[in-house]
Amino acid sequence: MTSKLLTGLVAATYTAFNADGSLNLDPIGAHADLLVRNGVTGVFVCGSTGEGVSMTTEERMSHFKRWCEVAKGSLKLIAHVGHNSIGDARALAAHAAKSGADAIATVGPSVLRPATLADLVDWCAAVAGAAPETPYYYYHIPVLTQLRFNMAQFMDMARERIPTFAGIKFTDENLMEFANCVARNQTNMLFGRDEVLLSGLVAGADGAIGSTFNYSAPIFNKVIAAYEKGDMAAAQKLMTRARDSVQILLDFGGGPAGKTMLKLCGIDCGPSRLPLRSLSLERVDALRARLEAFGWDDIRCH
Ligand code: MN9
């Protein structure tokens, strides 16, 4: 479709932990197989869905290394290296590049926040500079970071100051701002609000990065296919089904419920790490019943 690095659906992967809370690299192979089988084009590793900021730097490094080995040749890999410590973020960026990541990404620092757009861009440039050959994506997710800089302005400044700047993972509903980024037509724009993906496509998204593509990729791929065919009525109908499935996730609290949905597709990523709380057995049963009543089996990954 385009020469852009990332297109189609990129899954923001969950990270597997053992019952004792330690990192578990074992499910990564089967997880990658599931994604490839269901038409996912890439993985965004250790982002917010992957609880990256709840992991140690060492854990993130071994996780990236394993994912890079597994994804090689079949999935594009974006390593999320954002960290409140610029030193750790740089170390993660250099390590991800050495491990063979196709790209790196960061959220901005989110406790001591940049006061100006220039401060944010300088911070991003410092991290991107640790992997000078690797495309860099900014991860815009204001609901989590509280960083509400205008992304079109960010893009203009980032293109001047970050030689590897490749695009934005845009997780927000502000479609005017998203479209303003697309209109600049110079970078790779990925939409990150799965429940309104069709609107992101209309605004010109090259692809999408999201959590629900781990387990519901087929329905979203159908939305994209119908949209690309120009059949908007079909796309809207499919999108309603996709959106309703995301509503179930949201009704069960997001994050950890998604891990349960992936488990229902055969990939057990274990518990979530504090401060996130895994679903109780009763909630897992209730979620399963709700998904069955919805007919999720027809739209999920197999
Ligand atoms: O950026 C994800 N955002 C969060 C990606 O996890 C906060 C999305 O994929 C959402 O999980 C999804 C459901 O709200 O759109």
Side-chain angles (χ1 to χ4, degrees):
M1 173 174 115
T2 86
S3 60
K4 294 189 175 174
L5 179 62
L6 304 175
T7 56
L9 300 180
V10 173
T13 53
Y14 293 89
T15 299
F17 298 116
N18 293 303
D20 67 2
S22 58
L23 182 65
N24 178 11
L25 301 178
D26 293 345
I28 292 175
H31 191 169
D33 288 346
L34 179 80
L35 297 177
V36 171
R37 209 161 55 234
N38 286 278
V40 169
T41 60
V43 285
F44 186 86
V45 179
C46 287
S48 47
T49 299
E51 298 174 81
V53 295
S54 304
M55 295 164 72
T56 68
T57 295
E58 244 173 43
E59 285 176 328
R60 285 169 73 171
M61 286 180 175
S62 55
H63 200 238
F64 289 150
K65 190 160 171 284
R66 181 72 190 128
W67 260 112
C68 284
E69 288 162 7
V70 166
K72 206 174 172 56
S74 56
L75 291 161
K76 290 272 189 295
L77 188 140
I78 309 100
H80 176 257
V81 303
H83 194 296
N84 276 335
S85 152
I86 211 166
D88 278 27
R90 282 177 56 86
L92 284 163
H95 175 273
K98 211 176 84 200
S99 303
D102 295 289
I104 56 167
T106 70
V107 287
S110 61
V111 178
L112 300 180
R113 291 187 195 84
T116 67
L117 180 62
D119 294 341
L120 174 61
V121 174
D122 282 351
W123 186 95
C124 296
V127 178
E133 313 285 330
T134 307
Y136 168 81
Y137 287 82
Y138 180 66
Y139 180 8
H140 179 57
I141 182 159
V143 69
L144 294 184
T145 61
Q146 307 299 328
L147 295 173
R148 297 184 188 281
F149 295 104
N150 181 288
M151 283 298 104
Q153 290 169 7
F154 175 93
M155 180 174 275
D156 292 341
M157 204 179 278
R159 287 183 55 242
E160 281 181 9
R161 299 197 192 184
I162 308 175
T164 51
F165 181 62
I168 299 176
K169 167 177 172 5
F170 191 104
T171 300
D172 191 50
E173 293 78 10
N174 188 335
L175 286 155
M176 180 176 181
E177 193 175 319
F178 184 79
N180 280 335
C181 293
V182 171
R184 280 156 168 76
N185 200 25
Q186 264 132 353
T187 63
N188 193 184
M189 287 300 295
L190 289 315
F191 197 65
R193 265 285 164 248
D194 315 358
E195 49 276 57
V196 282
L197 173 65
L198 181 56
S199 309
L201 294 175
V202 172
D206 297 306
I209 305 180
S211 67
T212 68
F213 313 142
N214 280 288
Y215 44 76
S216 294
I219 186 78
F220 287 101
N221 267 324
K222 284 186 183 161
V223 170
I224 294 174
Y227 173 72
E228 286 183 347
K229 238 177 68 189
D231 188 347
M232 193 51 106
Q236 284 172 342
K237 207 163 156 216
L238 289 159
M239 192 62 224
T240 296
R241 195 100 180 102
R243 195 171 56 250
D244 288 348
S245 77
V246 178
Q247 186 63 54
I248 300 177
L249 168 78
L250 299 177
D251 288 348
F252 280 79
K259 238 178 183 178
T260 301
M261 290 169 76
L262 181 57
K263 186 174 174 187
L264 295 175
C265 295
I267 308 298
D268 186 355
C269 285
S272 299
R273 186 171 271 190
L274 284 170
L276 300 187
R277 179 76 71 187
S278 302
L279 268 58
S280 66
L281 291 178
E282 291 74 22
R283 291 292 281 168
V284 170
D285 283 345
L287 173 56
R288 193 187 291 119
R290 177 90 183 269
L291 290 167
E292 260 169 38
F294 174 74
W296 186 56
D297 206 50
D298 299 340
I299 66 162
R300 71 170 173 89
C301 291
H302 287 275

